Amino acid sequence: MLTSNLILIGFMGSGKSSIGRLLAQKLGYRFVDTDRLVIEGAGMDIARIFATYGETHFRDLETAALESLVGMQRQVIATGGGIVLREGNRQILGQLGWVVGLLANAAVTFKRVSRNTKRPLLHTEDPRGTITRMIAERGSLYENTARFVVDTSVLTPEQIVGIILQKAEELGPALP
Ligand code: S3P
């Protein structure tokens, strides 16, 4: 049976939070979202953290949030899209449990993220172009950090959860 933690990585809008919630419900695990931990810890939303203290400070808070999850089990952890940027974070992710990559094509991503304006890195003249460029830049980081990757562009949440549970089961227990 699956033990330890399941961690979801992937670009903004790849479905980490919604799939993560469903997965946690199915497994009876706790659901945690590193963005949420950062927001609660800082007492302000991410756009304000970026605007007030800058991205590096946000990344430090993000790393601290990730570190706070080490040693706990039975968690489904949704992460911020940039968590893979730091080598140290990538190591922690691997220690926490099975890392699952979610990806979606640029058109689907744009459609999903246009619904809210809370992502400072997409506050550009050309968000669609920014998304395409960032997905290309980060793609190999997601692929190399994840044990397996699921494309969420066309599948239903239930189908995606089914695939993840089956693959995680095949991999076996992920005890750090
Ligand atoms: C970021 C993704 C966001 C959030 C922040 C930076 C990124 O999280 O952590 O705006 O660098 O990709 P989501 O992936 O949950 O949108």
Side-chain angles (χ1 to χ4, degrees):
M1 193 46 211
L2 192 65
T3 55
S4 190
N5 305 297
L6 261 186
I7 307 100
L8 301 180
I9 63 168
F11 195 68
M12 298 175 256
S14 58
K16 296 166 299 211
S17 300
S18 49
I19 299 298
R21 264 194 211 93
L22 256 178
L23 270 170
Q25 219 178 330
K26 282 245 152 81
L27 290 165
Y29 282 18
R30 166 188 185 226
F31 174 72
V32 203
D33 184 325
T34 59
D35 279 347
R36 195 49 36 217
L37 292 180
V38 168
I39 292 167
E40 282 165 9
M44 61 180 90
D45 69 20
I46 289 172
R48 185 163 292 274
I49 299 172
F50 268 68
T52 313
Y53 302 109
E55 180 171 348
T56 303
H57 182 69
F58 169 78
R59 297 295 173 203
D60 291 342
L61 297 178
E62 185 174 53
T63 297
L66 189 61
E67 284 169 347
S68 76
L69 301 173
V70 174
M72 286 187 267
Q73 306 225 337
R74 296 171 66 85
Q75 311 174 96
V76 175
I77 304 167
T79 57
I83 203 114
V84 292
L85 294 173
R86 288 188 173 177
E87 157 75 31
N89 289 355
R90 298 199 294 272
Q91 282 181 9
I92 297 172
L93 290 168
Q95 286 162 17
L96 278 167
W98 292 138
V99 181
V100 180
L102 299 184
L103 66 89
N105 65 49
V108 167
T109 301
F110 178 70
K111 211 166 147 193
R112 290 183 186 159
V113 300
S114 315
R115 287 186 215 132
N116 89 47
T117 55
K118 292 188 177 152
R119 294 180 171 101
L121 294 177
L122 301 181
H123 294 167
T124 64
E125 298 254 301
D126 172 23
R128 200 184 283 257
T130 304
I131 287 168
T132 305
R133 177 180 53 78
M134 288 180 76
I135 288 178
E137 281 170 4
R138 291 181 179 177
S140 62
L141 281 177
Y142 295 130
E143 268 169 44
N144 294 335
T145 308
R147 292 299 298 232
F148 59 90
V149 174
V150 182
D151 190 330
T152 68
S153 306
V154 294
L155 300 173
T156 67
E158 285 71 22
Q159 287 171 321
I160 296 161
V161 164
I163 291 170
I164 293 173
L165 289 177
Q166 192 188 331
K167 293 213 180 198
E169 193 78 34
E170 280 164 21
L171 285 172
L175 282 171

